[in-house]
Amino acid sequence: MAEIDIPVGKTALYTCAERAKEQQHPNKLFTDEYAERLAGPTGLELLEKIHQLHEGKRKQAISTSMIIRTKFFDELVQNALSQCGINQIVIVAAGMDTRAYRLNLDPALKVWELDFKQVLEYKSSLLSENPKPTLGHVLLGVDLTKSGWENQLIDAGFEPSEKSLWLVEGLL
């Protein structure tokens, strides 16, 4: 299995671990059956380290903000698809995002997940046994800090003239 050894990839594992932890709550705000597998031991270890910062005083605030952010973007996607005629989604800096797998999307929807190749290879290796979430699901390894990624997206089938939803969650 691939490993992630770049800092941005470690952040993706940590956020995934926060989603995994939410799955243990009886009143969880969303379901993510893939989160624990994707976070792995590294993500869960990072979660504990981050929760211990500042003597643990910010643990609840950090966790709550991550969970609310996930729920907000889940609902944003669902509302945009049902009300705006969106037929393509681009997830920028996708990391361990699992919306394409867990939101019961229309199989005809086109979804591009953009991130560093190493991050997407790790994700793909852990989700390879799952059915492809949509017929147009593409993991596109790009470096968003360099120009040209937009051309790679178009080359991968993105249609700039069609309605699209762009998710940029937690990039900054």
Side-chain angles (χ1 to χ4, degrees):
M1 170 176 39
E3 291 292 324
I4 298 178
D5 61 8
I6 55 177
V8 72
K10 301 284 187 190
T11 302
L13 296 178
Y14 155 70
T15 59
C16 202
E18 286 284 10
R19 293 196 320 267
K21 189 165 179 117
E22 172 70 2
Q23 301 312 293
Q24 300 168 2
H25 291 234
N27 297 319
K28 62 188 173 200
L29 293 181
F30 57 86
T31 300
D32 189 341
E33 64 188 85
Y34 310 102
E36 187 173 355
R37 181 180 351 157
L38 289 172
T42 301
L44 298 172
E45 181 181 316
L46 285 167
L47 175 78
E48 291 308 314
K49 285 181 181 178
I50 289 170
H51 283 184
Q52 291 171 11
L53 292 174
H54 307 289
E55 300 172 349
K57 293 177 184 172
R58 297 188 60 216
K59 173 183 172 182
Q60 188 64 42
I62 292 169
S63 291
T64 301
S65 67
M66 194 72 58
I67 300 315
I68 290 172
R69 185 177 86 184
T70 300
K71 178 67 172 170
F72 171 82
F73 276 97
D74 284 358
E75 289 182 1
L76 177 81
V77 168
Q78 292 166 328
N79 290 336
L81 292 174
S82 68
Q83 299 172 16
C84 301
I86 302 292
N87 61 3
Q88 53 184 8
I89 298 175
V90 179
I91 306 173
V92 179
M96 298 299 117
D97 189 291
T98 59
R99 287 185 180 92
Y101 292 89
R102 63 184 178 80
L103 290 185
N104 195 27
L105 303 174
D106 182 332
L109 182 70
K110 299 175 223 163
V111 179
W112 290 268
E113 297 190 39
L114 311 181
D115 212 320
F116 288 106
K117 183 178 179 183
Q118 183 185 61
V119 172
L120 295 176
E121 285 176 348
Y122 172 85
K123 179 179 184 174
S124 179
S125 73
L126 291 174
L127 295 177
S128 63
E129 295 179 11
N130 294 81
K132 196 171 182 180
T134 69
L135 296 175
H137 183 242
V138 177
L139 298 176
L140 188 59
V142 297
D143 185 343
L144 295 165
T145 67
K146 297 184 173 143
S147 64
W149 63 265
E150 59 280 2
N151 294 326
Q152 290 176 268
L153 178 60
I154 291 168
D155 291 345
F158 178 76
E159 293 290 339
S161 61
E162 292 183 21
K163 287 185 179 182
S164 59
L165 175 66
W166 289 67
L167 296 181
V168 185
E169 176 185 4
L171 182 60
L172 302 177

